[in-house]
Amino acid sequence: AMDTDLSSQDRKDLDKFIKFFALKTVQVIVQARLGEKICTRSSSSPTGSDWFNLAIKDIPEVTHEAKKALAGQLPAVGQSMCVEISLKTSEGDSMELEIWCLEMNEKCDKEIKVSYTVYNRLSLLLKSLLAITRVTPAYRLSRKQGHEYVILYRIYFGEVQLSGLGEGFQTVRVGTVGTPVGTITLSCAYRINLAFMSTRQFERTPPIMGIIIDHFVDRPYPSSSPMHPCNYRAGEDNGAVYPSVEDSQEVCTTSFSTSPPSQCVFTVTKAHFQTPPPVVTDTLKVPVMGLAFSHQLSSSRLSYQPAALGVGSADMGYPVLFAGGLNAAHPHQLIGPGKEGGVPPIPGQPAHGTQADQERMCTPLDGVHYSAATPSSSEDTETVSNSSEGKCGSPHDLLETIFVRKVGAFVNKPINQVTMANLDIPFAMFAPKNVELEDNDPMVNPPDSPETESPLQGSLHSEGSSGSSTGNTHDDFVMIDFKPAFSKDDILPMDLGTFYREFQNPPQLSSLSIDIGAQSMAEDLDSLPEKLAVHEKNVKEFDAFVETLQ
Amino acid sequence: PLSTRCCAPPGAAPAMNCRAEVLEVSVEGRQVEEAMLAVLHTVLLHRSTGKFHYKKEGTYSIGTVGTQDVDCDFIDFAYVRVSSEELDRALRKAVGEFKDALRGSGSDGMGQISLEFYQKKKSRWPFSDECIPWELWTIKVNVVNLANEQERQICREKVGEKLCEKIINIVEVMNRHEYLPKMPTQSEVDNVFDTSLKDVQPYLYKISYQITDSLGTSVTTTMRRLIKDTLAL
């Protein structure tokens, strides 16, 4: 019989070891996904309460959940303890990232000494778990959580369910420990098409649309246990541990702007928004799928706006201009995730708070100076002249954008600046040549508009309706004295002939110049299918925006 | 542990029954230290216990090992190490010397650093104690030079991914549960463990390194070839 070789004391000890091993396993996994660095102290004098001679804290809520899931049982053949790690965006979409499985198989090692060898090997296995939890893709994601997404955990007991991980998931074995009643195995199955949703992807190119769509489906298995955020903050109620999700469009835009070229967000004065607002509206209405390519959508729109200052090419890759601009109109809408991390700011917050948010968002980017952006301009929704003073630099600066890269995922250091070369915008001739001219240029500084709402605000708050939140449709649109290209005007006298001669040799498109940023033509072309897919998906929003044009 | 060389000179073949593992990495100059520390700390995490406290009748209790996360500055990578400043200092010193040697003249940026776990076997005078290695980790390093910031950024990420693979490899080896020295009695504990640290107790280890000279060969091989070539005329 199976148990004759195992004394009852040994059996009791073994069961205890396995139980506490399971609890510690859960603690290590969840703590590794909190988004913070973990640090515990070594102690030469044994305290008697440190299981497996390792200093692993016990977060009470986590222990509670684990015990609830186990319900007094131990991992056995066919009954595994699973810790599921998933990601939930501020929009409410979630995606499974990893399943950590603690399983038992029938292979028994009768010879092994329980109280000694098994115990030490379980200790070694926990050390391996500590190491492995830092090398799967979800670790880096979890270190960056709080703004666009949070990381959640769920513990369940029973059959392992891996189908939520998508196709081609990978497995890593943490280790095994043989015991007289079976072999304990600890492994992790993780989604791999997440690997390129890592920080690198957030910072440069958007993830492939199709894959993202797969993920945002209803959970196939109704949770037998509720999901919990890994972001544990001691002292808070269980229910309020992580930020609630808002349904309004603000959520969408917040995410949009803080997506990872968040470092590229800067404030543009309200003035710049006198160019066709529906473009921005359209951008803003894109739901934040994949957190990163909504901005790609807008950047492709940017290319159709040659008159938009400073940015004339989709190769910018980042929606900086528009994100910033909206901030100018309604600072609280875009910038900053809120003080508590993850809570999207709602309209009505004082500008000060938002400005602090904006500055806080920019703080990691020490030393970065955004052209055309100063904190003062974010508060300025009043007159255009004030905001133009807030602009720093000449139009020349406006054509230059400073891109920053994060030095590293985990580093709290000033970011190396990478300055992009001057952008050659189409119709560069018509860009204001110097500051004075710009101040007078109605395209840059349109006549004072009512300071209440920008057209964006209206579209932002209404689901396709044309009313602004104040209900005053007259304020939605401001007439621009639009000067068609190459027409004669006071600033740049030009006739058709001169125009033709000047533009025999147009400035090089930034998309064709090699020294512009990190994106190459090839990358652009590669991203076209995704862009198209995004557009296709958002047909409704496009239709709505077309409506607003009528 | 760094300077004591009570047994075989570096580069000598490991003794029988000594497990040998080799890892290879290509890194940029400024990444050498962090990459080496990540690997060495991960190995030592698995090869350190809490301090032993011997009690009557040959039983002992074991202290508690704390751990902490370390973020790398030049690599997109993080690892866990044992919470022991003394151990960290010792490793940093060794890795620092290795890095300096790699940068020194005569080096083409290739070298290797070894972490060897050994047991001491006491011999009678006049013979010195024998050191019997039972596990040898060798990290081969190839230093690359990068031309621009873009390449450096890619290198940050690639080396980070590589190190993730190395950690998984190390854990695989650790999981084999192969030979480990028997738990020693109180009188033998210094033959198995390094008891000099105040908060943790790693197995006895030593770190050594070799730099490949610019010819890619060791000096003795060069001399032999010269002589051979001379004689061949």
Side-chain angles (χ1 to χ4, degrees), chain B residues 8-195:
Chain B
M16 293 273 290
N17 297 326
C18 171
R19 202 167 37 245
E21 305 294 333
V22 179
L23 305 163
E24 293 192 42
V25 286
S26 285
V27 295
E28 223 198 331
R30 62 184 187 165
Q31 296 173 321
V32 169
E33 283 188 272
E34 289 180 332
M36 296 304 103
L37 285 170
V39 171
L40 294 174
H41 267 303
T42 301
V43 173
L44 276 162
L45 168 70
H46 289 82
R47 294 286 180 249
S48 301
T49 74
K51 298 279 292 173
F52 281 13
H53 295 273
Y54 284 93
K55 300 188 278 219
K56 284 191 271 235
E57 291 147 19
T59 60
Y60 61 93
S61 56
I62 309 180
T64 301
V65 172
T67 57
Q68 55 188 226
D69 278 308
V70 182
D71 290 341
C72 295
D73 293 331
F74 301 111
I75 313 174
D76 286 350
F77 185 72
Y79 61 93
V80 175
R81 71 166 172 91
V82 164
S83 287
S84 165
E85 292 315 308
E86 287 173 275
L87 184 63
D88 190 39
R89 267 201 302 271
L91 292 188
R92 283 179 184 276
K93 183 157 179 284
V95 166
E97 288 181 24
F98 175 60
K99 185 199 78 177
D100 291 339
L102 267 181
R103 274 216 293 242
S105 60
S107 160
D108 63 349
M110 289 189 55
Q112 62 184 51
I113 189 166
S114 300
L115 170 63
E116 177 191 288
F117 292 101
Y118 65 94
Q119 278 176 266
K120 265 200 275 203
K121 193 163 146 201
K122 294 235 186 283
S123 305
R124 252 185 271 225
W125 186 88
F127 302 105
S128 57
D129 291 340
E130 233 188 303
C131 297
I132 305 168
W134 52 270
E135 191 173 78
L136 175 66
W137 296 85
T138 303
I139 313 166
K140 295 194 165 160
V141 178
N142 176 35
V143 181
V144 297
N145 290 314
L146 300 177
N148 62 46
E149 198 54 44
Q150 193 180 345
E151 285 183 27
R152 273 188 208 106
Q153 178 63 29
I154 294 173
C155 191
R156 288 182 65 91
E157 293 157 3
K158 284 268 177 282
V159 172
E161 287 164 24
K162 273 290 164 197
L163 285 177
C164 288
E165 286 172 33
K166 302 304 162 197
I167 303 303
I168 294 176
N169 293 345
I170 294 170
V171 163
E172 259 166 19
V173 172
M174 297 299 178
N175 181 57
R176 290 186 209 148
H177 299 305
E178 288 168 345
Y179 173 78
L180 283 179
K182 242 173 27 182
M183 283 298 143
T185 58
Q186 190 167 13
S187 56
E188 293 281 301
V189 70
D190 289 311
N191 295 338
V192 174
F193 286 103
D194 178 351
T195 54

Side-chain angles (χ1 to χ4, degrees), chain A residues 67 74 80 120 163 170 214 226 236 241 272 338 370 420 530:
Chain A
K67 284 184 171 166
L74 289 177
S80 313
N120 286 333
S163 53
Q170 297 226 357
D214 278 343
E236 291 191 28
V241 176
H272 299 180
Y370 298 109
M420 282 184 34
E530 298 133 37

Side-chain angles (χ1 to χ4, degrees), chain A residues 483-498:
Chain A
K483 303 247 190 296
F486 61 83
S487 73
K488 189 169 176 144
D489 62 18
D490 295 331
I491 298 162
L492 297 161
M494 184 137 331
D495 66 343
L496 183 54
T498 317

Side-chain angles (χ1 to χ4, degrees), chain A residues 465-544:
Chain A
S465 78
S466 56
S468 72
S469 65
T470 63
N472 185 351
T473 50
H474 286 303
D475 292 338
D476 280 354
F477 295 93
V478 174
M479 289 304 298
I480 309 159
D481 192 8
F482 186 71
K483 303 247 190 296
F486 61 83
S487 73
K488 189 169 176 144
D489 62 18
D490 295 331
I491 298 162
L492 297 161
M494 184 137 331
D495 66 343
L496 183 54
T498 317
F499 164 76
Y500 187 76
R501 280 188 294 277
E502 302 277 5
F503 283 81
Q504 290 268 324
N505 296 313
Q508 167 123 92
L509 284 179
S510 63
S511 60
L512 295 177
S513 59
I514 301 168
D515 58 349
I516 297 292
Q519 270 196 318
S520 69
M521 187 67 138
E523 282 178 59
D524 258 352
L525 290 173
D526 285 345
S527 64
L528 276 177
E530 298 133 37
K531 286 190 205 174
L532 284 174
V534 171
H535 293 307
E536 270 174 55
K537 181 164 185 15
N538 299 301
V539 156
K540 278 214 196 85
E541 279 84 9
F542 280 94
D543 288 344

